[in-house]
């Protein structure tokens, strides 16, 4: 898994039919690189998240829709942050 921070939303009014409805978020990972991840959780900008990639991300949709989706990065968790401890 990859730890990152949501930097913004990506809007796509036109896309392939097998892309599920939901949010696409730009996530900054360590080193300053960014990736686009599908968000089934409803995360907000600047929220710390866990991302998985590859076949694990795509397999998430097979269980829910009975078809594959062209998703290579999936947000699988929101990291609870504490301050000062």
């Amino acid at each position: 898994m990859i730890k990152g921070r949501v930097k913004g939303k990506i809007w796509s009014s036109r896309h392939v039919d097998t892309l599920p409805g939901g949010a696409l978020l730009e996530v900054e990972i360590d080193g300053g690189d960014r990736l686009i991840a599908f968000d089934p959780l409803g995360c907000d900008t600047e929220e710390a998240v866990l991302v998985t990639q590859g076949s694990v991300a795509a397999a998430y949709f097979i269980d829910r829709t009975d078809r594959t989706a062209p998703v290579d990065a999936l947000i699988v968790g929101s990291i609870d942050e504490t301050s000062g401890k």
Side-chain angles (χ1 to χ4, degrees), residues 1-2 6 10-11 18 21-23 28 33 36 39 44 48-49 52 57 59 62 67-68 72 78 83-84:
M1 281 192 248
I2 301 165
V6 176
I10 304 295
W11 300 101
T18 54
E28 184 175 74
D33 290 337
I36 306 302
D39 175 28
D44 288 326
V49 294
T52 190
I62 295 171
R67 62 184 197 175
T68 59
D72 183 56
S78 173
S83 60

Side-chain angles (χ1 to χ4, degrees), residues 10-16 19 24:
I10 304 295
W11 300 101
S12 174
S13 57
R14 296 181 350 170
H15 51 77
V16 297
L19 185 66
L24 295 172

Side-chain angles (χ1 to χ4, degrees), residues 17-81:
D17 292 340
T18 54
L19 185 66
L24 295 172
L25 302 181
E26 186 173 17
V27 178
E28 184 175 74
I29 58 176
D30 289 340
D33 290 337
R34 293 187 179 203
L35 56 83
I36 306 302
F38 186 84
D39 175 28
L41 304 178
C43 296
D44 288 326
T45 302
E46 294 302 323
E47 191 168 342
V49 294
L50 290 174
V51 178
T52 190
Q53 289 186 289
S55 60
V56 174
Y60 171 82
F61 299 96
I62 295 171
D63 291 341
R64 284 151 184 77
T65 64
D66 252 353
R67 62 184 197 175
T68 59
V71 172
D72 183 56
L74 176 70
I75 295 175
V76 295
S78 173
I79 299 171
D80 297 328
E81 296 181 302

